[in-house]
Amino acid sequence: MFEDINNSGDGGIYAELLQNRAFQIVDPKNQTAALYAWSPVGDASIAVVDDVPGVSAALPNSLSVELDSDGSAAFENTGYWGIKVDSSWTYKTSFYAKLASPSSSSDASLSASVSLVSKTSGTVFASHTFSSLTGEWKQYSIGLTPSTAAEDLQNSFVVQVSGGRGGEKVLFGLFSLFPPTYKGRENGMRIDLAETIAAVKPTVWRFPGGDNLEGQTFDTRWKWNETIGPISERPGRQGDWKYLNTDGLGLVEYLDWCEDLNAEPLMGIWSGYSLTKVAVAEEDLAPYVQAALDQIEFVIGDVSTPQGALRARYGHPKPWSLKYVEVGNEDFIIPAPTTYAAYRWKAFHDAIKQAYPHLKIIATTRPVTVLDPPEEYTDRHVYQTPEWFSKNAGRYDNDPRPGPLIFEGEYAATSTNSSDILGAFSNGRLRYSTLEAAVGEAGYMTGLERNSDIVFAAAYAPMLENIGRTQWTPNMILFDAGSVYPSPSYYTQKLFSTHRGDIILPVSSNDTAPQTFTYVASSTDSQVFVKTANYSPSPISLSLSLDGFKAKSATLEYLTGPHSQASNIPGKEVLVDIAGPFEVEVGKEGGVVVDLPGWSVGVVIVEV
Ligand code: AHR
């Protein structure tokens, strides 16, 4: 599950390095906020203005730079809490500029240079100078290749204007500093984060939220059509997690990313409900239903349709894959179910089903409300204690079959205090995922997998946290501008997701192990997987006999750490990690015995 929270999109998976790159949605009346991440170098005078036409109608704000008496000025952007300078990278660098009041007599000597500079040592790693700025908006672009790597992340992007007239103003807009991206995609993803996620081999990718789909108002909802096309045409929005979403990471980027991951998109549709608990009235809903149909048409419509043609114009004539759409987010939270059940679900569901009968449409109200038409797919969320997860491995064992197919769309152990699951750190909230949390989640996941006849997908949430903006904890993968810090929960996801059987195997047991030991078995044509979660400090010796299979060899991998509360804290030693694979002896009868540590998540892989 992905949404832009904790700067997981902008400043995260979306590789752009400059924060507040186009002064989107800011109000020049508040210069401190409008200049976020920007500052003058020396005594330069800079301000965000909206009284001259910006780079485009979508980007009305510009940066006005007043040159000092010697005709120069400089300013900088410090990125998303630092900028990584890597000498093996070429940074695609660009900006728009124009002179506010051009003068043919002296402007020929005016130049603007862009540089990557260390704030620690002053070293200039790379620089380029553009001359001949004009009175019209023009984009200036260059690849910057640093001569050496920076020793730390305290680096900035500096713009130096020189050779102008004292008091003259130069306007700038839409800056960009892009490192190489995952699979070389234009406007694409940060490589180290993308590789860390890809290593889990996710098969479903839910976007764009989460709360971040919804908007505090109808107007600040995620609007798919404002997230496509050239980035100069994307206005950005006030995200629901209280910071600017540039929407550089837009619908096209999400879908390309799903393609790169080999994951099925699970696309959110705005369901006529804002986070301030207001629903669109029934008689006003039609345009929003049409917007949802247009969104789907953009993704999978034929090029002869208006939105399919738009997609082709943006360079993607081939439809993307799309099987799942989700109507809303958490419409189980009162009072959303009332209007969802009364008219919102039916309006969106029926229109989508009629136009696209093959799509699987996911509802979000279960178990609160009965829907008409009944949902065939439902998204359920659970944030709980590690112990709750371990004890609830059987949660879906007795659900009705057939019943709606379940997407366990958000789950995580967030607190050790069952009375305050989303409370403060002082009251049990986890700052970081712990080994105990990861083992508890693994126990629950053995149950999700055992019930995969009705649980068709599951996702930990939230996925990413830039440690410069921590808004929700814990998260699966933490990062800063230079490094990635996978959590214990990440390793549980990885162990389970990269060892998938096609068939769930029946298991019988004569063990006397405590209920804190949970397991599930599955097979492919050539392998049997036995996944275990030992939610206890005591080691367990597990003796397996595989009826109906001839074991040839076996290996064991497990997640473990020094104690149950161990975490992987950014910048500190990695305490919780996957150990193995270790060879395991196969007995004469084809049986396998493995020793599992206390507080561990294990996978036994048997070649058959
Ligand atoms: O995962 C964080 C938030 O938790 C999501 O935005 C929301 O859907 C849920 O309440």
Side-chain angles (χ1 to χ4, degrees), residues 391-401 406 443-444 446-455 518-520:
K391 283 188 171 158
N392 280 273
R395 189 182 194 199
Y396 292 114
D397 288 354
N398 301 314
D399 258 39
R401 273 108 162 137
I406 293 150
Y444 189 64
T446 61
L448 297 180
E449 186 166 317
R450 191 176 51 254
N451 287 288
S452 51
D453 57 327
I454 57 166
V455 181
T518 40
Y519 42 82
V520 64

Side-chain angles (χ1 to χ4, degrees), residues 125-157:
F125 301 106
S127 191
H128 181 81
T129 302
F130 298 93
S131 50
S132 312
L133 273 55
T134 72
E136 303 299 326
W137 280 120
K138 186 181 156 196
Q139 189 179 28
Y140 299 84
S141 317
I142 190 71
L144 287 180
T145 307
S147 50
T148 54
E151 66 199 35
D152 58 29
L153 300 172
Q154 303 312 308
N155 307 301
S156 66
F157 172 77

Side-chain angles (χ1 to χ4, degrees), residues 221 224 270 280-294 348:
R221 71 191 186 279
W224 73 272
W270 192 68
V280 175
E282 187 169 7
E283 60 274 21
D284 298 332
L285 202 58
Y288 301 106
V289 174
Q290 186 56 49
L293 292 174
D294 289 347
F348 284 97

Side-chain angles (χ1 to χ4, degrees), residues 108-126:
S109 58
L110 192 139
S111 67
S113 66
V114 287
S115 313
L116 287 169
V117 180
S118 164
K119 287 183 79 69
T120 314
S121 64
T123 305
V124 178
F125 301 106

Side-chain angles (χ1 to χ4, degrees), residues 483-566:
S483 303
V484 177
Y485 311 104
S487 73
S489 295
Y490 168 83
Y491 289 117
T492 285
Q493 295 292 325
K494 190 174 171 192
L495 269 178
F496 272 53
S497 182
T498 54
H499 298 101
R500 296 185 193 212
D502 305 322
I503 304 169
I504 299 300
L505 299 175
V507 177
S508 64
S509 161
N510 58 3
D511 72 50
T512 52
Q515 280 188 335
T516 47
F517 185 69
T518 40
Y519 42 82
V520 64
S522 64
S523 69
T524 64
D525 287 344
S526 58
Q527 290 179 312
V528 169
F529 303 114
V530 179
K531 295 174 181 164
T532 63
N534 184 11
Y535 188 82
S536 120
S538 311
I540 281 189
S541 181
L542 176 68
S543 173
L544 295 170
S545 52
L546 306 174
D547 294 347
F549 293 95
K550 193 162 169 21
K552 294 181 194 149
S553 63
T555 51
L556 167 70
E557 292 181 45
Y558 57 79
L559 175 68
T560 188
H563 54 86
S564 64
Q565 300 313 304

Side-chain angles (χ1 to χ4, degrees), residues 170-409:
V170 183
L171 296 163
F172 289 89
L174 183 52
F175 294 86
S176 182
L177 181 70
F178 241 89
T181 58
Y182 187 64
K183 300 209 173 176
R185 290 267 190 197
E186 192 72 24
N187 200 40
M189 306 301 184
R190 175 173 151 173
I191 291 172
D192 55 355
L193 276 176
E195 285 178 348
T196 306
I197 295 167
V200 178
K201 301 196 176 160
T203 48
V204 166
W205 186 266
R206 175 176 170 227
F207 68 88
D211 289 355
N212 205 34
L213 167 71
E214 296 181 66
Q216 297 295 325
T217 63
F218 300 160
D219 196 46
T220 54
R221 71 191 186 279
W222 183 79
K223 295 180 194 147
W224 73 272
N225 55 318
E226 293 188 359
T227 74
I228 57 173
I231 57 170
S232 59
E233 301 301 329
R234 305 186 196 183
R237 68 182 267 266
Q238 177 66 46
D240 288 304
W241 293 98
K242 310 268 186 305
Y243 57 87
L244 159 73
N245 286 190
T246 66
D247 286 334
L249 175 56
L251 181 55
V252 168
E253 288 75 20
Y254 280 126
L255 293 161
D256 283 347
W257 167 237
C258 289
E259 235 173 54
D260 288 348
L261 277 181
N262 214 6
E264 210 37 72
L266 196 156
M267 183 173 79
I269 293 288
W270 192 68
S271 70
Y273 191 80
S274 74
L275 274 176
T276 39
K277 302 187 186 300
V278 186
V280 175
E282 187 169 7
E283 60 274 21
D284 298 332
L285 202 58
Y288 301 106
V289 174
Q290 186 56 49
L293 292 174
D294 289 347
Q295 180 181 340
I296 298 169
E297 185 177 283
F298 180 79
V299 180
I300 53 173
D302 189 83
V303 288
S304 61
T305 63
Q307 301 306 329
L310 182 63
R311 183 189 67 237
R313 273 212 301 288
Y314 288 156
H316 207 289
K318 191 168 154 246
W320 283 278
S321 171
L322 183 70
K323 291 186 185 143
Y324 302 105
V325 293
E326 176 163 353
V327 179
N329 173 57
E330 295 195 336
D331 285 278
F332 53 77
I333 297 176
I334 309 289
T338 309
T339 49
Y340 199 85
Y343 59 88
R344 290 189 292 122
W345 162 254
K346 185 168 173 53
F348 284 97
H349 173 276
D350 289 1
I352 296 169
K353 205 68 191 169
Q354 192 182 4
Y356 304 97
H358 67 285
L359 286 182
K360 302 173 197 298
I361 307 173
I362 302 170
T364 68
T365 37
R366 198 158 264 262
V368 176
T369 307
V370 174
L371 294 178
D372 172 28
E375 69 272 45
E376 292 175 286
Y377 298 84
T378 189
D379 175 2
R380 298 187 63 164
H381 298 173
V382 56
Y383 296 101
Q384 264 293 352
T385 63
E387 188 181 6
W388 184 95
F389 280 109
S390 173
K391 283 188 171 158
N392 280 273
R395 189 182 194 199
Y396 292 114
D397 288 354
N398 301 314
D399 258 39
R401 273 108 162 137
L405 296 183
I406 293 150
F407 172 40
E408 195 79 358

